[in-house]
């Protein structure tokens, strides 16, 4: 980000929360968003798919993980508490202002998401013949 803002590099891919404030302040210009839908934080910025690359999607995401073997009761309590926090209107609003969506859900849904992302990017690596050292 410092290199982009100083002009050392001419473009970059960045997560919305790290860029939204700079874009809204007029310090950076957003060319496109990498999700399949426009962000509520920057609805005027088109998606990459809308800009000519149909089906393009590359999203960053975050989640909470615990060590293997954590008792299910502990997992269930953490999940319930985290979902409660993500459901709070002020939390959802703050995340939306930063260009992030609060998803929440069951641990199994998050595990399925991780598997799907791993499969997707494994295909990309294989198709592009990227060598992993």
């Amino acid at each position: 980000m410092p290199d982009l803002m100083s002009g050392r590099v001419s473009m970059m891919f960045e997560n919305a929360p790290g860029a939204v404030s700079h874009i809204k302040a007029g310090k950076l210009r957003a060319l496109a968003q990498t999700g399949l839908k426009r962000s509520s934080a920057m609805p005027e910025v088109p998606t990459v798919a809308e800009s000519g690359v149909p089906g393009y999607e590359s999203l960053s995401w975050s989640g909470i993980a615990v060590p293997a073997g954590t008792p299910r009761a502990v997992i269930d309590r953490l999940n319930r508490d985290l979902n409660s926090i993500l459901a709070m209107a002020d939390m959802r609003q703050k995340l939306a202002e930063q260009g992030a969506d609060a998803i929440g859900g069951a641990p199994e849904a998050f595990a399925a998401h991780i598997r799907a992302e791993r499969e997707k990017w494994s295909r990309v690596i294989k198709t592009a013949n990227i060598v992993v050292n």
Side-chain angles (χ1 to χ4, degrees):
M1 184 63 71
D3 287 336
L4 180 64
M5 293 183 72
S6 71
R8 284 189 211 108
V9 298
S10 58
M11 65 86 58
M12 70 180 285
F13 283 79
E14 173 62 301
N15 296 324
V20 168
S21 63
H22 300 300
I23 294 164
K24 289 186 175 189
K27 296 177 183 176
L28 296 176
R29 181 174 149 222
L31 301 177
Q33 301 180 55
T34 61
L36 291 177
K37 63 181 180 120
R38 292 185 183 205
S39 167
S40 59
M42 299 180 294
E44 70 284 359
V45 179
T47 66
V48 173
E50 291 173 317
S51 300
V53 185
Y56 184 95
E57 179 186 34
S58 176
L59 297 175
S60 62
W61 47 268
S62 300
I64 306 295
V66 295
T70 298
R72 184 63 197 214
V74 172
I75 293 170
D76 289 343
R77 176 156 186 205
L78 285 169
N79 183 252
R80 183 178 60 250
D81 291 348
L82 289 166
N83 281 318
S84 293
I85 292 166
L86 291 175
M88 293 177 178
D90 57 340
M91 176 60 81
R92 296 183 80 74
Q93 179 182 348
K94 188 65 172 174
L95 289 170
E97 289 169 2
Q98 297 176 22
D101 295 321
I103 305 292
E108 294 77 15
F110 184 46
H113 175 72
I114 292 170
R115 279 192 303 278
E117 285 286 286
R118 184 178 181 152
E119 290 169 11
K120 172 184 176 177
W121 293 109
S122 292
R123 282 191 311 274
V124 168
I125 290 167
K126 183 177 179 183
T127 302
N129 292 316
I130 297 171
V131 177
V132 180
N133 292 328

